[in-house]
Amino acid sequence: MPRDPANRDAEAIDYLARARDFAPTLAAAAAAIDRARELPEPIVAGLAERDFFRLLLPRSLGGAELLPAPYVAVIEEIAKADASTAWCLNQGCGCSMTAAYLDREAAREIFGHPRGVLAWGPGPGKATNVPGGYRVTASWSFASGSHNATWLGAHVPVYDAQDRPLSHPDGRPVIRTVLFAKSKTAMTDIWHVIGLRGTGSDQYAVADLFVPEAYAAARDDPASLREKGVLYRFSSLQLYASGFAGVAMGIARATLDAFVALARDKVPFRAARTLRDNNVVQSQVAQSEARLKAARYHLYRLLDEVTGAVAERGHLTLDERMQIRLASTFAIHQSLEAVDACYSAAGSTAIFEAEPFERRFRDIHTVSQQLQGRQSHYETVGQYLLGLEPESLAWL
């Protein structure tokens, strides 16, 4: 069995140690984060102080440039304490990978400070080519971490002055990732949800906003890549997928550990023995442990193997992209099943806000409802494995 990939070098151990050191503070704030629907200033300051927003930022800009497996381990550790914080962190770090495609001075302006955080979300919009840059009009939703972000961005199709969409020679639309200060946007409070409440994933919009060419990137386009590190041979899509799987696994591990502690002492109403003496509970705990460890082992080992191959080859293959998506989706759903089993077995204890189950139950179900947890990812990978043309490659 290989070593835990989270502990394979001193740099990774340092950030993982920082996460473990910060976890008690974060756990103590988790209920307040949920109620406030955002990360409070002391938590954001703590994340910035430990350089957590810079985990995937290039070293040339003062970032850690962690490789995928050690990075996911940090996200997982943060998620054990609070899932909303881990979600915001993974979103912001994934966005920061855009720095590898940006004009150097623009990248320094956006990310040159420990509190420089970028957020974005999906939504319709367009960018019109104008001298020196683009005119952007759009409305976007679900910008996780937007409350603590300093810059926002979006991926928009580009149109010419005659309002015609631009295309590459192969017919693909020309897409640019445009970035702008958050102060230039109109924010709308829409994030009234059951779980991951603290992410503050609100809606934002701009109208006819001029974005200079230097602040527009051809994200994930190898021809535009300015960094040579192995990390940037991966696209942000692979880091989002595996990072959000890390969020799910962190939630599941914390829930399972809490249930084991509960089962030692809780005697259910009208029962003669503790939960841990119940044969059904024993089976559920064992199966949940197996689900979580199998998913975790598979994801981390895969990330390590792919990273090694990419370091030699210089790029990811379609098969590797498929495998990362499959392992990430699998980890999310195995985590969901583990949490559901613990929640059910905990009985009425699980429904109280003061207990360690109710918020995590809401959070893991919100994780599974997001793009990264879509069951349709299994269909895409299954089509590929069966030798068919996958219907959707957009999220690989």
Side-chain angles (χ1 to χ4, degrees), residues 181-196:
K182 188 172 73 171
S183 59
K184 297 181 179 180
T185 66
M187 304 294 301
T188 303
D189 181 359
I190 64 165
W191 199 242
H192 299 267
V193 291
I194 67 165
L196 297 178

PDB file of all heavy atoms in Angstrom, residues 181-196:
ATOM      1  N   ALA A 181     -13.074  43.718 -10.837  1.00  0.00           N
ATOM      2  CA  ALA A 181     -13.199  43.957  -9.402  1.00  0.00           C
ATOM      3  C   ALA A 181     -14.643  43.752  -8.962  1.00  0.00           C
ATOM      4  O   ALA A 181     -15.581  44.121  -9.674  1.00  0.00           O
ATOM      5  CB  ALA A 181     -12.739  45.369  -9.059  1.00  0.00           C
ATOM      6  N   LYS A 182     -14.835  43.177  -7.790  1.00  0.00           N
ATOM      7  CA  LYS A 182     -16.192  42.915  -7.305  1.00  0.00           C
ATOM      8  C   LYS A 182     -16.994  44.206  -7.160  1.00  0.00           C
ATOM      9  O   LYS A 182     -18.216  44.209  -7.312  1.00  0.00           O
ATOM     10  CB  LYS A 182     -16.146  42.166  -5.969  1.00  0.00           C
ATOM     11  CG  LYS A 182     -17.533  41.688  -5.518  1.00  0.00           C
ATOM     12  CD  LYS A 182     -17.468  40.788  -4.307  1.00  0.00           C
ATOM     13  CE  LYS A 182     -17.136  41.548  -3.055  1.00  0.00           C
ATOM     14  NZ  LYS A 182     -17.290  40.699  -1.846  1.00  0.00           N
ATOM     15  N   SER A 183     -16.313  45.294  -6.913  1.00  0.00           N
ATOM     16  CA  SER A 183     -16.994  46.581  -6.741  1.00  0.00           C
ATOM     17  C   SER A 183     -17.728  47.022  -8.005  1.00  0.00           C
ATOM     18  O   SER A 183     -18.596  47.892  -7.957  1.00  0.00           O
ATOM     19  CB  SER A 183     -15.986  47.652  -6.335  1.00  0.00           C
ATOM     20  OG  SER A 183     -14.964  47.786  -7.321  1.00  0.00           O
ATOM     21  N   LYS A 184     -17.399  46.406  -9.153  1.00  0.00           N
ATOM     22  CA  LYS A 184     -18.033  46.794 -10.417  1.00  0.00           C
ATOM     23  C   LYS A 184     -19.289  45.986 -10.730  1.00  0.00           C
ATOM     24  O   LYS A 184     -19.887  46.154 -11.797  1.00  0.00           O
ATOM     25  CB  LYS A 184     -17.036  46.643 -11.561  1.00  0.00           C
ATOM     26  CG  LYS A 184     -15.827  47.564 -11.435  1.00  0.00           C
ATOM     27  CD  LYS A 184     -14.864  47.393 -12.599  1.00  0.00           C
ATOM     28  CE  LYS A 184     -13.670  48.332 -12.470  1.00  0.00           C
ATOM     29  NZ  LYS A 184     -12.711  48.171 -13.598  1.00  0.00           N
ATOM     30  N   THR A 185     -19.684  45.124  -9.823  1.00  0.00           N
ATOM     31  CA  THR A 185     -20.820  44.251 -10.085  1.00  0.00           C
ATOM     32  C   THR A 185     -22.008  44.603  -9.211  1.00  0.00           C
ATOM     33  O   THR A 185     -21.872  45.241  -8.171  1.00  0.00           O
ATOM     34  CB  THR A 185     -20.467  42.778  -9.827  1.00  0.00           C
ATOM     35  OG1 THR A 185     -20.220  42.603  -8.429  1.00  0.00           O
ATOM     36  CG2 THR A 185     -19.233  42.368 -10.602  1.00  0.00           C
ATOM     37  N   ALA A 186     -23.175  44.148  -9.659  1.00  0.00           N
ATOM     38  CA  ALA A 186     -24.392  44.235  -8.848  1.00  0.00           C
ATOM     39  C   ALA A 186     -24.655  42.854  -8.263  1.00  0.00           C
ATOM     40  O   ALA A 186     -24.840  41.887  -9.000  1.00  0.00           O
ATOM     41  CB  ALA A 186     -25.575  44.676  -9.711  1.00  0.00           C
ATOM     42  N   MET A 187     -24.649  42.752  -6.929  1.00  0.00           N
ATOM     43  CA  MET A 187     -24.854  41.480  -6.244  1.00  0.00           C
ATOM     44  C   MET A 187     -26.313  41.340  -5.824  1.00  0.00           C
ATOM     45  O   MET A 187     -26.952  42.324  -5.431  1.00  0.00           O
ATOM     46  CB  MET A 187     -23.959  41.368  -5.015  1.00  0.00           C
ATOM     47  CG  MET A 187     -22.476  41.540  -5.276  1.00  0.00           C
ATOM     48  SD  MET A 187     -21.736  40.222  -6.285  1.00  0.00           S
ATOM     49  CE  MET A 187     -22.079  38.776  -5.280  1.00  0.00           C
ATOM     50  N   THR A 188     -26.831  40.118  -5.891  1.00  0.00           N
ATOM     51  CA  THR A 188     -28.205  39.832  -5.468  1.00  0.00           C
ATOM     52  C   THR A 188     -28.187  38.663  -4.502  1.00  0.00           C
ATOM     53  O   THR A 188     -27.646  37.596  -4.811  1.00  0.00           O
ATOM     54  CB  THR A 188     -29.095  39.472  -6.673  1.00  0.00           C
ATOM     55  OG1 THR A 188     -29.054  40.532  -7.620  1.00  0.00           O
ATOM     56  CG2 THR A 188     -30.535  39.252  -6.223  1.00  0.00           C
ATOM     57  N   ASP A 189     -28.783  38.860  -3.345  1.00  0.00           N
ATOM     58  CA  ASP A 189     -28.813  37.839  -2.306  1.00  0.00           C
ATOM     59  C   ASP A 189     -29.845  36.770  -2.669  1.00  0.00           C
ATOM     60  O   ASP A 189     -31.049  36.973  -2.521  1.00  0.00           O
ATOM     61  CB  ASP A 189     -29.166  38.482  -0.963  1.00  0.00           C
ATOM     62  CG  ASP A 189     -29.201  37.477   0.184  1.00  0.00           C
ATOM     63  OD1 ASP A 189     -28.975  36.281  -0.064  1.00  0.00           O
ATOM     64  OD2 ASP A 189     -29.460  37.903   1.322  1.00  0.00           O
ATOM     65  N   ILE A 190     -29.358  35.619  -3.146  1.00  0.00           N
ATOM     66  CA  ILE A 190     -30.264  34.522  -3.503  1.00  0.00           C
ATOM     67  C   ILE A 190     -30.002  33.268  -2.680  1.00  0.00           C
ATOM     68  O   ILE A 190     -30.750  32.297  -2.766  1.00  0.00           O
ATOM     69  CB  ILE A 190     -30.131  34.139  -4.998  1.00  0.00           C
ATOM     70  CG1 ILE A 190     -28.722  33.586  -5.280  1.00  0.00           C
ATOM     71  CG2 ILE A 190     -30.453  35.313  -5.898  1.00  0.00           C
ATOM     72  CD1 ILE A 190     -28.595  32.862  -6.594  1.00  0.00           C
ATOM     73  N   TRP A 191     -28.947  33.270  -1.854  1.00  0.00           N
ATOM     74  CA  TRP A 191     -28.468  32.035  -1.261  1.00  0.00           C
ATOM     75  C   TRP A 191     -29.206  31.686   0.036  1.00  0.00           C
ATOM     76  O   TRP A 191     -28.676  31.759   1.136  1.00  0.00           O
ATOM     77  CB  TRP A 191     -26.961  32.119  -1.031  1.00  0.00           C
ATOM     78  CG  TRP A 191     -26.308  30.772  -0.856  1.00  0.00           C
ATOM     79  CD1 TRP A 191     -25.642  30.307   0.244  1.00  0.00           C
ATOM     80  CD2 TRP A 191     -26.262  29.709  -1.809  1.00  0.00           C
ATOM     81  NE1 TRP A 191     -25.192  29.032   0.031  1.00  0.00           N
ATOM     82  CE2 TRP A 191     -25.562  28.638  -1.226  1.00  0.00           C
ATOM     83  CE3 TRP A 191     -26.760  29.558  -3.115  1.00  0.00           C
ATOM     84  CZ2 TRP A 191     -25.328  27.429  -1.895  1.00  0.00           C
ATOM     85  CZ3 TRP A 191     -26.527  28.365  -3.785  1.00  0.00           C
ATOM     86  CH2 TRP A 191     -25.823  27.315  -3.170  1.00  0.00           C
ATOM     87  N   HIS A 192     -30.473  31.293  -0.118  1.00  0.00           N
ATOM     88  CA  HIS A 192     -31.300  30.825   0.989  1.00  0.00           C
ATOM     89  C   HIS A 192     -31.566  29.349   0.723  1.00  0.00           C
ATOM     90  O   HIS A 192     -32.511  28.991   0.005  1.00  0.00           O
ATOM     91  CB  HIS A 192     -32.588  31.638   1.078  1.00  0.00           C
ATOM     92  CG  HIS A 192     -32.337  33.095   1.325  1.00  0.00           C
ATOM     93  ND1 HIS A 192     -32.299  33.654   2.589  1.00  0.00           N
ATOM     94  CD2 HIS A 192     -32.074  34.123   0.455  1.00  0.00           C
ATOM     95  CE1 HIS A 192     -32.043  34.948   2.499  1.00  0.00           C
ATOM     96  NE2 HIS A 192     -31.897  35.264   1.213  1.00  0.00           N
ATOM     97  N   VAL A 193     -30.738  28.488   1.292  1.00  0.00           N
ATOM     98  CA  VAL A 193     -30.675  27.084   0.890  1.00  0.00           C
ATOM     99  C   VAL A 193     -30.602  26.188   2.124  1.00  0.00           C
ATOM    100  O   VAL A 193     -30.462  26.662   3.252  1.00  0.00           O
ATOM    101  CB  VAL A 193     -29.440  26.840  -0.009  1.00  0.00           C
ATOM    102  CG1 VAL A 193     -29.617  27.511  -1.359  1.00  0.00           C
ATOM    103  CG2 VAL A 193     -28.167  27.355   0.671  1.00  0.00           C
ATOM    104  N   ILE A 194     -30.646  24.862   1.899  1.00  0.00           N
ATOM    105  CA  ILE A 194     -30.636  23.952   3.043  1.00  0.00           C
ATOM    106  C   ILE A 194     -29.228  23.626   3.530  1.00  0.00           C
ATOM    107  O   ILE A 194     -29.026  23.329   4.710  1.00  0.00           O
ATOM    108  CB  ILE A 194     -31.393  22.644   2.736  1.00  0.00           C
ATOM    109  CG1 ILE A 194     -30.658  21.813   1.673  1.00  0.00           C
ATOM    110  CG2 ILE A 194     -32.813  22.919   2.327  1.00  0.00           C
ATOM    111  CD1 ILE A 194     -31.145  20.381   1.593  1.00  0.00           C
ATOM    112  N   GLY A 195     -28.237  23.658   2.639  1.00  0.00           N
ATOM    113  CA  GLY A 195     -26.898  23.265   3.041  1.00  0.00           C
ATOM    114  C   GLY A 195     -25.826  24.113   2.385  1.00  0.00           C
ATOM    115  O   GLY A 195     -26.100  24.863   1.445  1.00  0.00           O
ATOM    116  N   LEU A 196     -24.595  23.972   2.876  1.00  0.00           N
ATOM    117  CA  LEU A 196     -23.491  24.834   2.432  1.00  0.00           C
ATOM    118  C   LEU A 196     -23.912  26.302   2.495  1.00  0.00           C
ATOM    119  O   LEU A 196     -23.557  27.111   1.633  1.00  0.00           O
ATOM    120  CB  LEU A 196     -23.032  24.479   1.009  1.00  0.00           C
ATOM    121  CG  LEU A 196     -22.445  23.081   0.818  1.00  0.00           C
ATOM    122  CD1 LEU A 196     -22.082  22.853  -0.655  1.00  0.00           C
ATOM    123  CD2 LEU A 196     -21.216  22.854   1.700  1.00  0.00           C
TER     124      LEU A 196
END
